[in-house]
Structure formats: structure tokens, C-alpha cells
Amino acid sequence: MPNTNNKTNKSAKAAGKTILAKASKDVPMLRAIKGGKAAPPKPGPAKPAVKPPPVAVADDVPVIALNLVPAKLSPAMAAYFKKCQVKLGFVPNVLLAYAFDVAKLETFVAMYNDLMLGDSGLSKLEREMIAVAVSSQNRCYYCLTAHGAAVRQYSANPLLGEHLVMNYRVARLNKRQRAMLDFAVKLTASPWSVEEGDRERLRRVGFTDRHIWVISAVAGFFNMPNRAAPATDMRPNTAYHGQAR
Amino acid sequence: MPNTNNKTNKSAKAAGKTILAKASKDVPMLRAIKGGKAAPPKPGPAKPAVKPPPVAVADDVPVIALNLVPAKLSPAMAAYFKKCQVKLGFVPNVLLAYAFDVAKLETFVAMYNDLMLGDSGLSKLEREMIAVAVSSQNRCYYCLTAHGAAVRQYSANPLLGEHLVMNYRVARLNKRQRAMLDFAVKLTASPWSVEEGDRERLRRVGFTDRHIWVISAVAGFFNMPNRAAPATDMRPNTAYHGQAR
Amino acid sequence: MPNTNNKTNKSAKAAGKTILAKASKDVPMLRAIKGGKAAPPKPGPAKPAVKPPPVAVADDVPVIALNLVPAKLSPAMAAYFKKCQVKLGFVPNVLLAYAFDVAKLETFVAMYNDLMLGDSGLSKLEREMIAVAVSSQNRCYYCLTAHGAAVRQYSANPLLGEHLVMNYRVARLNKRQRAMLDFAVKLTASPWSVEEGDRERLRRVGFTDRHIWVISAVAGFFNMPNRAAPATDMRPNTAYHGQAR
Amino acid sequence: MPNTNNKTNKSAKAAGKTILAKASKDVPMLRAIKGGKAAPPKPGPAKPAVKPPPVAVADDVPVIALNLVPAKLSPAMAAYFKKCQVKLGFVPNVLLAYAFDVAKLETFVAMYNDLMLGDSGLSKLEREMIAVAVSSQNRCYYCLTAHGAAVRQYSANPLLGEHLVMNYRVARLNKRQRAMLDFAVKLTASPWSVEEGDRERLRRVGFTDRHIWVISAVAGFFNMPNRAAPATDMRPNTAYHGQAR
Amino acid sequence: MPNTNNKTNKSAKAAGKTILAKASKDVPMLRAIKGGKAAPPKPGPAKPAVKPPPVAVADDVPVIALNLVPAKLSPAMAAYFKKCQVKLGFVPNVLLAYAFDVAKLETFVAMYNDLMLGDSGLSKLEREMIAVAVSSQNRCYYCLTAHGAAVRQYSANPLLGEHLVMNYRVARLNKRQRAMLDFAVKLTASPWSVEEGDRERLRRVGFTDRHIWVISAVAGFFNMPNRAAPATDMRPNTAYHGQAR
Amino acid sequence: MPNTNNKTNKSAKAAGKTILAKASKDVPMLRAIKGGKAAPPKPGPAKPAVKPPPVAVADDVPVIALNLVPAKLSPAMAAYFKKCQVKLGFVPNVLLAYAFDVAKLETFVAMYNDLMLGDSGLSKLEREMIAVAVSSQNRCYYCLTAHGAAVRQYSANPLLGEHLVMNYRVARLNKRQRAMLDFAVKLTASPWSVEEGDRERLRRVGFTDRHIWVISAVAGFFNMPNRAAPATDMRPNTAYHGQAR
């Protein structure tokens, strides 16, 4: 997911530049979005190993397991991709995945940015915490990787990201944050069972009705990519894994 | 959900006009979006009953259980609400629910309309069938009601809507449709377990990779309102229940 | 299920008369109970459609997916079927399904009528509410259709039927009714976990021990047809779908 | 459950006689059906223990946790109870539990006896095997005890009863019996998922459509007492535990 | 599991002697541990039956479904097996199963004996109760049989063993024992959900932190053989079934 | 868990030395094992943050949430702890947790080392892969952290560790490894359902019966600490999180 605040390490940035070089020609950049299983392993950032590793190193090639023809980006989206490249060092793979259809890409970016980066009663960190707790319930590789990194960055607490990826109940949260995540995870696991009592529990720790909307919207939203990602075997950018450890 | 193709019965249309009248003043229209439990039952379209019914008749007042202050609609959204009113006889409650924040309303409408009404390898009916099968898995009252009505209308087969609401496995579908719903429901219930074999099953009944994206996107999308609706006790417009029976 | 209080629409009544005409010859009436998948679609009550509907219209032919030879009805059962025809406009398909074996039919009718129509501390509506909430937990097409119609009729509140079919938690019930359905659904979903505390919750809202027996018996009972119906692909009479909307 | 073929050990028979003595006076026999938790432990068939056992010995007093006033038995039911006493050495507690309402008792006995003891394509043992496998899925103490004993007796294989109580998959069954239990347990655990393919699997191992009805009916039936028993804390006669070990 | 306190019936003892005779030659004793399905049924302790029983009588031959070559026992283990033979009348099959590798056998015996028989704040009966409740949650044939027998013996209450095998909630336990089993079963079914509140519930009924460790360790431990047993189709010694009834 | 092959970074080693210094005095080392929630945050390896982090940094103080008095280590265990300190830079917290009772510590270490480090048909990496896949199913923070680090190290493939922590199905494994993990995870999630067909699937990809024992034993084993860890809120050494990224 496009998180425009972070710093990436050099090797990812270098790889990013190559992608962007292609991106200026628009279509070739998206060559990465192609089906097939036998993606040629490219030399990745893994440490030297005396014996060959048992699995492929290039984890995110192709980006998804569907063979989709990339579309020509609109000026707005081309600019947005460039901005991602500059700020993050890469274009988040979810955007590359959507780029076969600019209209879909734009509606996704619009909703995502309003929800996760826009003004809101919840901090960006809190929204990312919900993203990870929900994605852990759904065991979503893409979202756990991308948003786990975001939690590590925003919180300046690498372990918090690990806690939320593995089991949010082990994180030492305050009552407000715990209630927020309990609500989000219950809503994810058994949405039919959420009722007034659950909203009351949020109000009791200080959330307003507007906050409850935001918590619900963020929890609800991640249930969408938590399906789209496994449905297409969407792979997160490898750079996320090493960020903010 | 805004389905701009359908015909509504007279009483719903009449009620709709009243709402629209208020809508022209923008804010008052949204007075319906208010919290509290003791909503005064207004005379609804229910049949005359000799003995008083055991539960309130006005099922969708308030629209949600959160007390949110309605925003002033943008011209685009005001026009869109008017169009809903004319074509459907009412503004779908999900739009009224989102109308406390125009930016959120617009991103929702944009994504929804592109996904469900835009050009696609899947028919509108097929997309609505996915919506209902997914919403049945999640037992979502709002979506089952609104999209169950849409399936009844698009298919001219009232029973198909009932089948998908209750248990899609009882519908007598062709292999293509059945594979499509099996994928969507598995993706909803255990997203972590969806893999290449599942995509292969779709390809085997004739779906292209582009179709698979659409099926995944629609199934994924409804997992979002399937959370937002119970999280806020969002109530579907009463008019849906009687449509296309 | 035999609900002898309701009024059916004309087309269903007409279809019913045809069945009854055959029923007087006893065996032919049951010709509908035959296996095979290629049931010839008969012109049903669906609206005229310009393009052919994607699925078969005659939803309840055959009544079950087992090829069973119908038995000669006993005089008592023949009279009962006639009474159903007169009062309901049709013989409920569950009775046709059982009619391959008169002894089984009679024990089923005896237990059903005592439980659902006999004198009891619970109203007929309350018992039907339990039937639908339990059948929703089990996603039983037959029972949701037949008993959903009964709830709509008895309550003179069409939406209550929809609520219970989709998710009983969205119905605006009083405490007594809610406790009753919570007990019935828990008993259905995880019977091993029901204990004294659950009975105490019923007593606290005013139920006597005799009421608890009835709630338990009705909830327990519907777990039986909730298995027999999917096991045999039992189809509800099409007329139910349109009743009391 | 009334299994009229078995032989009981002496101590149970002696206890049985006492009950029957009271039973001839009809009402007092049913004094056992009373609520409350502090049942006075009567000297049971347990072995002498040097230190007092940690839990009450009289496991089935009261028979259920509801305080119901026993009814006067009809002549037919009084005769039936007497027959149970003679053949089994005791009246099965499920009958005592139902005896607060003779109409309910009679419909239960009629359905049970037709289903489990009547002429059928399945042997009595096979029907009891289904009863136990279903009751194990539902973890029903009453039915596992009563029908586990019946499987031990009918099969002359005490271990088969234990296998079915604990996990039917460990029993070394032939293909026919295994398919039968797989169907019954799937129908119990996720009835919504049973379809034509499941019926086909039964046909492939030699079951006719009539057999499929019986398997479905028995599996469905036990889902009823599997709810009524925990709902009322119904306790099986202690004598069952020691039978046919 | 090696429970060195019990008395076995004569036939089991006789069979045991034969095994021990072979055991003195070390390797032949373990001939029982061999794969394949067609184990020749040996005359077992089942009652004479006029018609052949539907399943094989020799339930525990072979001990596991893996073809493993038995190892030469160490002097310590040979002595331990001899002690089992003398005290129990047989060597528990789990030990025979492990005996293909003496190191694994020894670590298993060491951990087991420390945990279940060593000095501890919990009685041996309480530890066996946990073993059975956990094994019931996991439906483990081996452990339910061996430890169900142990509960019957230690408690001098045959029914308590049955309760814990079938559904521990039906046992009439004191608050301390009930809390202990609730904790153990929750820990088994959803370990990720166990938190400080659960520990507090144990403390509230009088358990110390040391007790909590023991409860956790015993519950955790049985989750191990509860996997190893079904993974290898490990069969309990037939003698257990009849013990302490 | 004691993995004696790895290299740790300097800061962890430094911290380790401090602990070892205390460890030479035996008892004080274990002061960390104490209950209570308000562990004072010590300055950890986290990056400097301009604003205070929202949760405590010292994630593994105390090691467990039980107040247990540490025991005097046996010479063997004191030597083992020293070896851990030298090779790993720290003593794994699970060992500190067990150190309140030397007998338990020794049986745990003996079983663990034989199983995970001893000679076996499976590589150490394969056994660690099973450990992580099982622990992910159980959402065990301790084991995911400690063994996720081990997978990253042994495989020289940091992403493989992430895959197995989040959802092993996204790892690009060969057929042998995939079958191995499918077996281990099924055995963990529904042990009762594992049967001969599952073993056959392992044999088909080349595993011998001895391998099947090892896979079963490792999968079974981790179901034990997967319970003991949440039961006691056992916290993994912070150093693991940063290893082999």
C-alpha cells in the first residue's frame, strides 16, 4: 500500500529506479504483471549462501498470478506512481496489480488514500494497526507484509508490527487500542455477531460515533484486499520485509 | 446499493419523493442518519393487520446506529441522489449512511459503479449473484436485502434471489455460475486457502484471467460492506423487500 | 410444513387444485416424488421475461432427489392432505416427500402438529420464529422458505420473516424473544456447550421450565428436517415464496 | 432409548424393579423428573472405594434439570413402560423425561420405534452406528451412552461402540459402513454442504435411494435429541454404562 | 500411558505375559509395530457371537500404521517395560510405538513420568482429568481410551471417566475442577485466545501460579500425543477398555 | 528454543553477557521470571524515536506471567545455559521459563534436542519449517518468533520465514515440502481427521515411514509449547526479531 512517508534501503531504491525507468515508457513497467509460475529468479538482496536456497528468491515476480495486459496510465496515475517511486523507492505492487485497468486503479487509490491517509479521528498508526490485525485474522500475506512494515515505521516499535502480524493479543496495548482491535477482529471473523453491545464497548473507552465509523470502515476495507490478494496470489514488494526492523 | 435500472412500486416512489423534497435542502434529508434506539415507527407499506405487530414496522429509521452529522452534498452527489430518486424511487440507504462525509461517499460510489455497473466480462446479474452469495456467507442483512432484490430483478427469476440468500448450493446453476460462486464463497470464508488450483477451476469452465480478477474483485468488495453494515447496524430501504417478488 | 391458517394467491390455488384432483387417485399425486435432474420446467408464476431465465423455473419438481415409489395413503392421511389443499391451496412438499411410507408420514405429522400447533406456553408465532432462526443457522432452504412464510403471516410483519431468514440479530425483538432465539441458535450451533447458565437466562426473562422444554423441543425438532431436507434436496412449494410479502 | 433386546446385569435389574414398583402407581415413578442441583447421592453400582469419590455417584437423579409435573400415563404408554422394565430392566430416562406430557411421549415413541426398530433396508446395528457417530459429532452425553451401549450389544463387539463414541474414523469399517457414517456426520456438521455428489457416493457403495432416505432420517433424527438432551441436562440411565463391555 | 497402579483382568495379563516373554529377547516383542492393514485377527476377549462381527476384533495389531524396525532396548527401558508388564499386565502401546528409537522412547518416558506421576500441586486424578478433557476436544482414540481408564481407576467413579470422554461439561464437578478443565479445553481449542483473564479465573478458585504451570503443561503435553496418535493410527491396548468399569 | 548454530548481532551478545554474568550466580539470572504486568521498560535495541512509542519496549520482561521461584540449576543445565550464551548470545526464554523446576527443564531440553537437532531423515530446516507452520496455525507468538528466526537462518532465505509465519501456502515450495506442511497443519487443526490417505500422500512424494514419524513428532511436539506459551504469556527473546533479516 502506498505509504509515502518511509525511507528505503539502497538496494531497494536502486531496483526501484530501474522499474521507474521502464515506467516512463508506461507499458513495459507493468511487464511484471504476468501469469505463469516459472518466474526467473533474479539476484535478490539475500545473503550469500554456500548451498542454494530451497525456494526462489524473487518473491514478487510476477506480481500476480493472472495474465493481464497493462493499461496506459492516466497522467494522474503516472504522477502518483512517480511520487511513490521517489518517496518509497518503489511502486507498491498492489498498484501495479490494479494497473491493467486505470479506472479501477483510480477508484482504489482514491478510497485508500481517503481512508488511510486522510484527516480522521484515528492516527495513521491506529489505522495501520487495524489493517494488520484484520489481515492476521485473514492470514493475508500481502497486507501483513505491507502494513506490518507500516506499523513498524509509524510506531518506531518494530515489535509492535510483529505482535500484530502474529497475534494482536500479545501486544501490550492500552484499553482504547485493545478495544479497537477486538472490535475490528470480531467484525472480520464473525461480522453477523456484531451488535450494539460491541459499539458500546468502543464508546466506553472514549471513541465517538465518528471514530466507530472509521474503525468499521478500515476493518471493513481490509477485508477486501484480504480477498483480492490471495485470489490473485498478489506478492508484496520484497523491500517491505526489511523495513524498520 | 445504487442500481439505476429498476422499477419500483408506487408507494415506495411516493415515499421517495418526500425524501427527495427534503434532499433539495440537502441537510434535512439526512436527518434520518441519527443514532438512538427509540426510532418512532412511521406508517410503512406493511399490510393492515388486525392485531398490532410484535416489532416496529419502520425498519430503516434510523439508517444506522451511529449519530453522525450529515454533510452538504457536492453538486455531483446531489445530482446522483436525484437520479437514484427518479430511477429507483428512493436513495439507497448505504448512500445516506456515507453522506456524513462527501469524500467517502464519492470514493464509495466511484468504486461501486465501476465494479458493478461498468463494462466487464461478467454480466450485471452474475456480479449481483456473487454479491448475494458472499453476503449470505457473512449473513449481512443490508446486502442480502438490496442485492437479493437486484438478483430477482436482473434474472426475472424471483426464486434465484431466494436461493442465493438462503444457500447458493440449492440454485440450479450451470457449471460456469456454480464455479464462480464456489470461488467467491471459499474466498470469503477462508481466504487464506485460495490458491492456484482454485483459479484453475475457474479457467476450466471458461473464465479468462480478466474474469477471475472481476470475480475476485466483486467477492472481495462485498466483504467490505458486509462488515460496515453490521458494524453500524445499517438498515436497507424497506422498499427492497417487496421488489420483483 | 402444514400451516392451516394461511391464504394463498390464486395461481398457487389453481395449481393446488390440479394436484388435489390427482390426489384423489392417491398414487398419481405423488408422481412428483421422483429422482433425476432433468425435471421439465413447467410454466411457473414468474414474470414474463424477454430473454430466457438462466435457471429452471419449476423449482420444486421433483420434490426430492430420491427415486421413491409413493405409497397408498391411509384414510387419515388422505383426509389430511385434502385439508391442506383446501386451507393452504397445496399439500406441503415435506408431506409429499414422506408419502412413500405412510407410517413415517404419520409419525412425522403427529409430532409436527403436536409441537407446532398444539396447546403450549409459546405462541405459534414464537415457535415459527425459533424454526426460522434455527434453519438460518443451518442454512436450510426448505425450512427457511416454508417457515419464513409462516412468520410473515403470523406476525403480519413481512420484514420479521426476512430478518430471521437472514440474521435474527437484526430483528428488533423484545428481551424475551431475543433470549429465546439466542438459546435456540446456540443449541443448534454448539449443543455440547448448553448448560444451566443458558437455562437461567431463559428463566430470567420469564420463561417457565415448561417453556424451556418447548423452546428446546422446537429448536431440536428443526435440526431434524434441517438435515433431511438437504440430504434429499427437498424443495419447498413455490407458492411459499410469494406469501405474505 | 428403548432397545428391547438386551440383557442387563443384576444390580440394574434390582434398581429397575424398585422403579417399576413405583411406576405401577404411575405418578410417583416420575418423581425423578425434578429440577434442582442437590440430588441426594443414592448408593449406586460403583465399586467400594476407600476414600470418598470426588463427584456424586447418582448420575441420573434427577433425570432432567427442569421441574416438570409428571402426567398420568395412557394405558398404551403404561404398558410400554412395563415392557421396557421387563426387557431392559429399566425405563429409559428419555421416556421418563417426556412423560410430563403424554401426547409428546407418544409421538416420540412412535417416531423412534418406526425409525430405529421398524423394517428397513438398514440393520438395527447400522442405524445405531449412525446414532452414535452423529451423537459424537454433537458430543451428546445421553445419546452416546444409550446408543453406545446398543452398538456394543448389537455388534457383539464392545470396541466398536468405543470407536464410534470417540472418533468413528478409527473403526475398521467396510466401505459401505464408512460411506454411511461419512454422510451422516457431514450432514450433521455442515448440512448446508450436502449435495448430489454426497448421495452419489452412497449409491456407489450399493445403497439404494430408499436406504439414503433411511440414513438421512436416522442422522437427522438424532440431531433432535442431541439438542433436547443438553438443553435439559438429560441424564442416561446409569445401567447403560456397564452394558456389553 | 504407563499407569503403574492398576489391576488388570486375567486374560489381559495372560496376553501380557506372552508379550513379555518375547520382550526378554528384545526385538521380537516389537514385531507388533509393523505397517500394513491386513493384521491377522487374533482371538480377543470379545464375547462369543453367533454371527461374525462386522469388524476385526484385534484392535491393536499392529500398534501403529507405520512400518518401523524396532530397536534394542536400553537396560533402563527393558527394566521399565518389565515393570509395566508386572504392574499393568501389559506394556502400554505408546511405549511399543516409540521403541523403534530408544532415545525418543527415553525422552518421552522421562517427560511423561515427571509430568503425570511426579510430585505436583495437582493430584494424579486431576492431571488425568485434564488429559481426558483435552483428548476429547481433539477426539483422540488412543488417549481417550488409556486415560479414560485412568480416570475411572483413580476416581473409583467409572462414570466420571465417561463424562470426560464424552463432554466434560456434563460431569458434576466442583468449581475448582471445572475451572481447571475450562482452561485446559480453551487452551486446546483456541490457544491464541488465552490471556491474563483466563489465568485470573484459575487464581480465583484457589490455584497458585505453580498450579497454573502444571495445568498448562499437562494440557499442552496431551496436545502432542493427540497429534502423534492419529498421525500414526496408534491403537490403545485392548485391555484398557474393560478396566475399572 | 536452543538453536546452537546461529550468529547473533553485537548488541544482543552484549545483553547476553550481562545475563550470563548473573547466570553464574545461578538464581539471580532467573529474576526475570516473575509475574506482574508493570515491567519497567529497559532501553532496548529499538531505533531512536522523536515521540515516545505507544507500547513498552522491553517485550520479554518478565519472561512469563507467572510468579515462579527459580531453582538452582544442575551442573548439566548450567553448562547448557552457558553454551547457549556463547553460541546464541542469550539463553532462550523458554529455558528460563522452565528453570523453576530443573527436572522439567531437563526433560524438555532432552526431548527438544533429540527431536530438532538429532540425526533424522529430515533436515534441521525442514523440522523448523514444520515448527513455524504449526505455530502459525496456532498463532503462537513465542514459537513463531523463535522458529521463524531459525527458518530465516537455516534457509538463508529471510522471506521463507515470513511466508511460514503468515501463511505457508504462499511459500513457493517443492511438492515434498508442501506435502510435509499440509500434513503438519492438518494434523494441528483437525487431528481427528488424519487417516491413512494422509500418510499415503506423504509416501507418494517420497517420505518413508520413519520420515512420517518425524514429521508427526515435530508437528505434535509444537502443539505443546503452542499451548504452554500463551497459557503463561511466554515472551520470546527480543534478539530473535532482528536475526537473519
Side-chain angles (χ1 to χ4, degrees), chain B residues 75 119 123 127 136 170 173 210 219:
Chain B
D119 197 39
S123 72
R127 285 175 275 176
S136 175
V170 305
L173 305 172
R210 171 101 196 203

Side-chain angles (χ1 to χ4, degrees), chain D residues 89-102:
Chain D
F90 57 85
V91 178
N93 282 344
V94 67
L95 301 183
L96 298 182
Y98 267 100
F100 75 96
D101 183 323
V102 175

Side-chain angles (χ1 to χ4, degrees), chain D residues 37 39 46-49 51-62 125 129 136-141 144-145 152 154-160 162-163 165-167 169-174 177 233 235 238 241-245, chain E residues 37 39 46-49 51-62 125 129 136-141 144-145 152 154-160 162-163 165-167 169-174 177 233 235 238 241-245:
Chain D
K37 290 163 202 162
K47 302 168 183 178
K51 53 175 182 174
V55 299
V57 173
D59 184 65
D60 65 346
V61 177
L125 171 59
M129 287 168 70
S136 175
Q137 179 63 32
N138 288 327
R139 303 182 185 279
C140 177
Y141 173 49
L144 285 171
T145 301
R152 294 195 302 269
Y154 282 130
S155 68
N157 181 351
L159 268 59
L160 181 59
E162 293 297 272
H163 294 157
V165 163
M166 293 173 180
N167 180 358
R169 296 167 196 85
V170 305
R172 287 164 177 165
L173 306 171
N174 60 37
Q177 291 169 333
D233 194 21
R235 315 293 292 193
T238 299
H241 293 286
Q243 287 179 344
R245 293 287 178 189
Chain E
K37 291 163 202 162
K47 302 167 183 179
K51 54 176 182 173
V55 297
V57 173
D59 184 64
D60 65 346
V61 177
L125 171 59
M129 288 170 70
S136 176
Q137 178 62 34
N138 288 327
R139 303 183 184 279
C140 177
Y141 173 49
L144 285 171
T145 301
R152 296 194 301 269
Y154 282 129
S155 67
N157 181 351
L159 268 60
L160 180 60
E162 293 297 271
H163 293 157
V165 163
M166 293 173 179
N167 181 356
R169 297 168 196 85
V170 305
R172 286 164 177 165
L173 305 171
N174 59 37
Q177 292 170 332
D233 195 21
R235 316 293 292 192
T238 299
H241 294 287
Q243 289 178 344
R245 294 285 179 188

Side-chain angles (χ1 to χ4, degrees), chain B residues 5-194:
Chain B
N5 283 12
N6 67 27
K7 307 271 183 299
T8 42
N9 58 47
K10 282 191 180 175
S11 67
K13 232 175 213 164
K17 271 179 196 162
T18 314
I19 291 177
L20 196 64
K22 293 189 205 165
S24 66
K25 298 171 206 165
D26 257 315
V27 175
M29 176 198 69
L30 297 166
R31 212 170 269 158
I33 312 176
K34 63 171 190 282
K37 291 161 202 163
K42 64 167 185 204
K47 300 167 184 180
V50 283
K51 54 176 182 174
V55 297
V57 173
D59 183 64
D60 65 347
V61 177
V63 167
I64 58 172
L66 301 179
N67 202 341
L68 300 178
V69 181
K72 179 164 163 45
L73 292 182
S74 61
M77 285 298 104
Y80 184 62
F81 276 36
K82 194 167 239 167
K83 187 175 160 192
C84 289
Q85 189 64 48
V86 171
K87 286 211 167 184
L88 306 175
F90 57 84
V91 178
N93 282 344
V94 67
L95 301 183
L96 298 182
Y98 267 100
F100 75 96
D101 182 323
V102 175
K104 291 184 194 316
L105 174 63
E106 288 182 334
T107 62
F108 179 82
V109 168
M111 183 178 281
Y112 180 83
N113 286 353
D114 172 72
L115 189 68
M116 296 301 284
L117 304 173
D119 197 39
S120 154
L122 268 66
S123 72
K124 286 179 189 172
L125 171 58
E126 285 172 325
R127 285 175 275 176
E128 292 288 349
M129 288 169 69
I130 294 171
V132 180
V134 164
S135 301
S136 175
Q137 179 63 32
N138 288 327
R139 304 184 183 278
C140 177
Y141 173 49
Y142 188 98
C143 296
L144 285 171
T145 301
H147 296 280
V151 166
R152 295 195 302 269
Q153 290 178 325
Y154 281 130
S155 68
N157 181 351
L159 269 59
L160 180 60
E162 294 297 272
H163 294 156
L164 300 187
V165 163
M166 293 172 179
N167 181 356
Y168 78 96
R169 297 168 196 84
V170 305
R172 286 163 179 166
L173 305 172
N174 59 38
K175 285 197 175 184
R176 174 185 155 95
Q177 292 170 332
R178 177 60 193 257
M180 178 183 83
L181 296 187
D182 280 345
F183 185 90
V185 170
K186 182 179 181 186
L187 190 59
T188 297
S190 58
W192 53 82
S193 72
V194 171

Side-chain angles (χ1 to χ4, degrees), chain F residues 212-226:
Chain F
I212 296 176
W213 177 280
V214 176
I215 295 169
S216 304
V218 175
F221 177 83
F222 280 93
N223 275 282
M224 179 171 63
N226 283 187

